[in-house]
Amino acid sequence: MAAARVGRNAATVRLVAVGKGFPPADLAWAAAAGAADFGENRVQEALPKMAALPGVHWHLIGQLQRNKARAAAGRFRLIHSMDRLELADSLQRAAEAAGAVQAVLLQVSLTGRPGQGGVSPPLVADLLRRVLRHDLLRPVGLMTIAPAVADPEEARPAFATLRALRDRLQAETGVALPELSMGMSHDFEVAVEEGATLVRVGRAIFGDRLAGHATPPPG
Ligand SMILES: *Cc1c(COP(=O)(O)O)cnc(C)c1O
Protein backbone atom coordinates (compact mmCIF):
# COMPACT_ATOMS: atom_id res chain seq x y z
CA MET A 1 0.00 0.00 0.00
CA ALA A 2 0.93 3.68 -0.02
CA ALA A 3 3.16 3.51 3.07
CA ALA A 4 5.27 0.69 1.68
CA ARG A 5 5.72 2.49 -1.65
CA VAL A 6 7.53 5.32 0.11
CA GLY A 7 9.35 3.16 2.63
CA ARG A 8 7.10 3.96 5.58
CA ASN A 9 5.92 1.43 8.15
CA ALA A 10 2.13 1.12 7.79
CA ALA A 11 1.87 0.96 11.60
CA THR A 12 2.76 4.68 11.73
CA VAL A 13 -0.49 5.58 9.96
CA ARG A 14 -3.73 5.45 11.91
CA LEU A 15 -7.14 5.27 10.29
CA VAL A 16 -9.81 7.57 11.68
CA ALA A 17 -13.17 6.21 10.51
CA VAL A 18 -15.46 9.18 9.88
CA GLY A 19 -19.01 8.04 10.59
CA LYS A 20 -20.78 11.39 10.55
CA GLY A 21 -24.33 11.02 9.32
CA PHE A 22 -24.37 7.30 10.08
CA PRO A 23 -26.02 5.66 13.09
CA PRO A 24 -24.09 3.83 15.81
CA ALA A 25 -25.04 0.44 14.32
CA ASP A 26 -23.07 1.29 11.17
CA LEU A 27 -20.09 2.31 13.27
CA ALA A 28 -20.36 -0.92 15.25
CA TRP A 29 -19.58 -3.09 12.23
CA ALA A 30 -16.59 -0.93 11.42
CA ALA A 31 -15.39 -1.44 14.99
CA ALA A 32 -15.98 -5.17 14.66
CA ALA A 33 -13.89 -5.09 11.49
CA GLY A 34 -11.03 -3.53 13.45
CA ALA A 35 -11.53 0.25 13.40
CA ALA A 36 -10.31 1.65 16.72
CA ASP A 37 -10.51 5.38 16.04
CA PHE A 38 -13.67 7.24 15.01
CA GLY A 39 -14.05 10.81 13.80
CA GLU A 40 -17.06 13.09 14.12
CA ASN A 41 -17.66 16.64 12.94
CA ARG A 42 -20.09 17.70 15.60
CA VAL A 43 -19.91 17.26 19.37
CA GLN A 44 -23.69 16.77 19.68
CA GLU A 45 -23.63 13.95 17.15
CA ALA A 46 -20.61 12.34 18.78
CA LEU A 47 -21.89 12.17 22.35
CA PRO A 48 -24.65 9.56 21.85
CA LYS A 49 -22.33 7.51 19.64
CA MET A 50 -19.72 7.49 22.40
CA ALA A 51 -22.34 6.09 24.75
CA ALA A 52 -23.42 3.47 22.22
CA LEU A 53 -19.91 2.42 21.24
CA PRO A 54 -17.59 2.20 24.25
CA GLY A 55 -13.99 1.05 24.01
CA VAL A 56 -12.92 3.01 20.94
CA HIS A 57 -11.16 6.36 20.56
CA TRP A 58 -12.95 9.50 19.36
CA HIS A 59 -11.61 12.37 17.29
CA LEU A 60 -13.27 15.72 16.76
CA ILE A 61 -12.48 16.69 13.18
CA GLY A 62 -15.01 19.49 12.58
CA GLN A 63 -14.97 23.08 13.73
CA LEU A 64 -15.49 23.49 17.46
CA GLN A 65 -17.66 26.32 18.77
CA ARG A 66 -16.51 27.78 22.05
CA ASN A 67 -19.84 26.97 23.72
CA LYS A 68 -19.26 23.26 22.95
CA ALA A 69 -15.78 23.19 24.49
CA ARG A 70 -17.05 21.99 27.83
CA ALA A 71 -18.87 19.04 26.28
CA ALA A 72 -15.81 18.14 24.21
CA ALA A 73 -12.91 18.44 26.67
CA GLY A 74 -11.66 15.12 27.95
CA ARG A 75 -14.03 13.10 25.75
CA PHE A 76 -12.01 13.15 22.54
CA ARG A 77 -8.61 11.53 22.30
CA LEU A 78 -7.71 14.29 19.89
CA ILE A 79 -9.32 17.52 18.75
CA HIS A 80 -8.12 18.18 15.20
CA SER A 81 -9.54 21.69 14.82
CA MET A 82 -7.70 24.07 17.16
CA ASP A 83 -7.47 27.19 15.01
CA ARG A 84 -7.82 30.28 17.18
CA LEU A 85 -6.72 31.68 20.49
CA GLU A 86 -10.23 32.23 21.90
CA LEU A 87 -10.91 28.54 21.43
CA ALA A 88 -7.70 27.68 23.30
CA ASP A 89 -8.87 29.80 26.26
CA SER A 90 -12.28 28.07 26.29
CA LEU A 91 -10.80 24.61 25.92
CA GLN A 92 -8.30 25.22 28.70
CA ARG A 93 -11.12 26.15 31.10
CA ALA A 94 -13.15 23.15 29.93
CA ALA A 95 -10.20 20.80 30.42
CA GLU A 96 -9.77 22.14 33.92
CA ALA A 97 -13.43 21.47 34.69
CA ALA A 98 -13.12 17.96 33.23
CA GLY A 99 -9.88 17.26 35.07
CA ALA A 100 -8.27 16.34 31.77
CA VAL A 101 -5.33 17.21 29.57
CA GLN A 102 -6.62 17.70 26.04
CA ALA A 103 -4.49 16.79 23.04
CA VAL A 104 -5.05 19.03 20.03
CA LEU A 105 -3.89 19.51 16.47
CA LEU A 106 -3.53 22.98 15.00
CA GLN A 107 -5.74 23.16 11.92
CA VAL A 108 -4.08 24.99 9.05
CA SER A 109 -5.96 26.47 6.11
CA LEU A 110 -3.93 26.07 2.92
CA THR A 111 -6.73 26.92 0.52
CA GLY A 112 -7.67 30.35 1.83
CA ARG A 113 -11.25 29.15 1.53
CA PRO A 114 -13.43 30.42 4.36
CA GLY A 115 -15.95 28.23 6.16
CA GLN A 116 -13.82 25.19 6.94
CA GLY A 117 -11.76 26.80 9.66
CA GLY A 118 -8.00 26.75 10.04
CA VAL A 119 -5.33 29.30 10.73
CA SER A 120 -3.30 30.66 7.81
CA PRO A 121 0.32 29.42 7.61
CA PRO A 122 1.98 32.71 8.63
CA LEU A 123 0.00 32.69 11.89
CA VAL A 124 0.57 29.08 12.92
CA ALA A 125 3.77 29.67 14.90
CA ASP A 126 2.12 32.39 16.97
CA LEU A 127 -0.94 30.21 17.65
CA LEU A 128 1.33 27.35 18.72
CA ARG A 129 3.24 29.56 21.17
CA ARG A 130 -0.03 30.79 22.64
CA VAL A 131 -1.56 27.31 22.89
CA LEU A 132 1.58 26.21 24.74
CA ARG A 133 0.84 28.75 27.47
CA HIS A 134 -2.25 26.69 28.32
CA ASP A 135 -0.99 23.93 30.59
CA LEU A 136 -3.96 21.60 29.98
CA LEU A 137 -3.69 21.71 26.18
CA ARG A 138 -1.15 19.48 24.50
CA PRO A 139 -0.46 20.31 20.84
CA VAL A 140 0.80 17.18 19.06
CA GLY A 141 0.72 18.11 15.38
CA LEU A 142 -1.07 19.74 12.46
CA MET A 143 -4.23 19.06 10.49
CA THR A 144 -5.45 20.31 7.13
CA ILE A 145 -8.36 19.82 4.77
CA ALA A 146 -6.89 19.65 1.27
CA PRO A 147 -8.56 21.43 -1.63
CA ALA A 148 -11.30 19.37 -3.27
CA VAL A 149 -9.75 18.37 -6.58
CA ALA A 150 -10.65 15.77 -9.18
CA ASP A 151 -7.21 14.20 -9.32
CA PRO A 152 -5.77 13.30 -5.90
CA GLU A 153 -2.29 14.14 -7.24
CA GLU A 154 -3.37 17.78 -7.24
CA ALA A 155 -3.70 17.59 -3.45
CA ARG A 156 -0.07 16.50 -3.04
CA PRO A 157 1.39 20.04 -2.78
CA ALA A 158 -0.95 20.84 0.11
CA PHE A 159 0.13 17.70 2.01
CA ALA A 160 3.81 18.44 1.34
CA THR A 161 3.30 22.03 2.50
CA LEU A 162 1.73 20.90 5.78
CA ARG A 163 4.62 18.56 6.46
CA ALA A 164 7.20 21.27 5.68
CA LEU A 165 5.34 23.67 7.95
CA ARG A 166 5.40 21.08 10.72
CA ASP A 167 9.13 20.48 10.24
CA ARG A 168 9.82 24.20 10.44
CA LEU A 169 7.66 24.67 13.55
CA GLN A 170 9.40 21.82 15.30
CA ALA A 171 12.80 23.27 14.47
CA GLU A 172 11.79 26.78 15.58
CA THR A 173 10.06 25.88 18.82
CA GLY A 174 11.63 22.57 19.88
CA VAL A 175 8.11 21.22 20.43
CA ALA A 176 7.53 17.69 19.15
CA LEU A 177 4.68 17.67 16.62
CA PRO A 178 4.62 14.04 15.44
CA GLU A 179 1.04 13.94 14.11
CA LEU A 180 -0.07 15.01 10.63
CA SER A 181 -3.82 14.63 10.09
CA MET A 182 -4.35 14.84 6.35
CA GLY A 183 -6.03 12.81 3.62
CA MET A 184 -9.65 11.76 3.12
CA SER A 185 -11.40 9.07 1.05
CA HIS A 186 -10.27 10.27 -2.37
CA ASP A 187 -6.72 11.31 -1.53
CA PHE A 188 -5.51 9.44 1.55
CA GLU A 189 -2.93 7.39 -0.35
CA VAL A 190 -1.21 10.53 -1.58
CA ALA A 191 -1.41 11.95 1.96
CA VAL A 192 0.28 8.83 3.37
CA GLU A 193 3.03 9.15 0.78
CA GLU A 194 3.56 12.72 2.02
CA GLY A 195 3.75 11.74 5.68
CA ALA A 196 0.21 11.57 7.08
CA THR A 197 0.01 9.82 10.47
CA LEU A 198 -3.79 10.13 10.69
CA VAL A 199 -6.09 9.74 7.70
CA ARG A 200 -9.76 10.71 8.06
CA VAL A 201 -11.79 8.38 5.89
CA GLY A 202 -15.58 8.49 5.66
CA ARG A 203 -17.18 7.58 2.34
CA ALA A 204 -14.63 4.91 1.45
CA ILE A 205 -15.68 3.00 4.59
CA PHE A 206 -19.33 3.86 5.15
CA GLY A 207 -20.49 4.70 1.65
CA ASP A 208 -22.08 7.83 0.32
CA ARG A 209 -23.58 10.00 3.04
CA LEU A 210 -26.20 11.31 0.61
CA ALA A 211 -27.37 7.75 0.00
CA GLY A 212 -28.04 7.72 3.72
CA HIS A 213 -26.98 4.19 4.49
CA ALA A 214 -23.83 2.23 4.76
CA THR A 215 -23.81 -1.36 3.65
CA PRO A 216 -21.96 -3.88 5.77
CA PRO A 217 -18.94 -5.34 4.00
CA PRO A 218 -19.37 -8.83 2.55
CA GLY A 219 -18.38 -11.68 4.85
C1 LIG B 1 -16.30 14.38 6.35
C2 LIG B 1 -14.87 14.68 6.65
C3 LIG B 1 -13.87 13.75 6.32
C4 LIG B 1 -14.15 12.45 5.58
O1 LIG B 1 -14.43 12.74 4.25
P1 LIG B 1 -14.70 11.53 3.20
O2 LIG B 1 -14.63 12.22 1.91
O3 LIG B 1 -16.06 11.00 3.52
O4 LIG B 1 -13.64 10.52 3.41
C5 LIG B 1 -12.57 14.05 6.69
N1 LIG B 1 -12.25 15.20 7.32
C6 LIG B 1 -13.18 16.12 7.63
C7 LIG B 1 -12.76 17.36 8.33
C8 LIG B 1 -14.52 15.89 7.30
O5 LIG B 1 -15.42 16.81 7.60
Side-chain angles (χ1 to χ4, degrees), residues 69-92:
R70 197 166 272 247
R75 288 202 169 93
F76 291 93
R77 168 184 246 192
L78 189 56
I79 293 177
H80 293 223
S81 49
M82 169 58 61
D83 64 354
R84 58 203 194 279
L85 184 59
E86 310 82 69
L87 179 58
D89 292 341
S90 300
L91 209 48
Q92 163 79 17

Side-chain angles (χ1 to χ4, degrees), residues 18 20 41 61 143 145 184-185 200-204 209:
V18 179
K20 65 187 178 198
N41 272 50
I61 62 171
M143 178 273 223
I145 300 174
M184 308 181 5
S185 289
R200 311 178 306 267
V201 178
R203 284 171 297 136
R209 284 181 289 276

Side-chain angles (χ1 to χ4, degrees), residues 1-215:
M1 78 158 242
R5 264 203 305 278
V6 291
R8 293 185 59 195
N9 178 348
T12 60
V13 185
R14 225 160 345 121
L15 171 69
V16 177
V18 179
K20 65 187 178 198
F22 290 95
D26 286 340
L27 277 59
W29 68 250
D37 290 82
F38 287 84
E40 289 288 336
N41 272 50
R42 297 168 63 243
V43 177
Q44 310 92 290
E45 183 175 345
L47 295 180
K49 292 181 178 180
M50 289 175 176
L53 202 66
V56 299
H57 300 296
W58 296 91
H59 297 248
L60 186 66
I61 62 171
Q63 283 189 277
L64 177 58
Q65 304 306 320
R66 293 174 65 187
N67 62 6
K68 298 292 185 322
R70 197 166 272 247
R75 288 202 169 93
F76 291 93
R77 168 184 246 192
L78 189 56
I79 293 177
H80 293 223
S81 49
M82 169 58 61
D83 64 354
R84 58 203 194 279
L85 184 59
E86 310 82 69
L87 179 58
D89 292 341
S90 300
L91 209 48
Q92 163 79 17
R93 283 194 297 274
E96 197 172 350
V101 173
Q102 180 63 59
V104 299
L105 301 178
L106 304 186
Q107 182 180 346
V108 182
S109 172
L110 298 172
T111 61
R113 215 179 24 219
Q116 291 187 318
V119 63
S120 70
L123 302 178
V124 181
D126 187 50
L127 180 62
L128 176 61
R129 287 194 191 90
R130 285 157 172 263
V131 168
L132 286 168
R133 291 190 203 137
H134 297 74
D135 63 343
L136 299 180
L137 303 184
R138 194 162 55 87
V140 296
L142 302 182
M143 178 273 223
T144 200
I145 300 174
V149 289
D151 178 358
E153 278 300 325
E154 291 175 48
R156 190 181 293 276
F159 299 142
T161 298
L162 194 73
R163 182 178 59 180
L165 191 56
R166 186 276 307 273
D167 292 350
R168 205 164 64 234
L169 278 174
Q170 281 192 150
E172 281 173 13
T173 64
V175 177
L177 299 167
E179 304 289 351
L180 287 175
S181 169
M182 55 189 196
M184 308 181 5
S185 289
H186 69 295
D187 57 15
F188 69 88
E189 293 197 54
V190 174
V192 168
E193 289 171 1
E194 294 300 330
T197 61
L198 294 157
V199 291
R200 311 178 306 267
V201 178
R203 284 171 297 136
I205 297 172
F206 295 103
D208 195 336
R209 284 181 289 276
L210 291 176
H213 257 285
T215 320

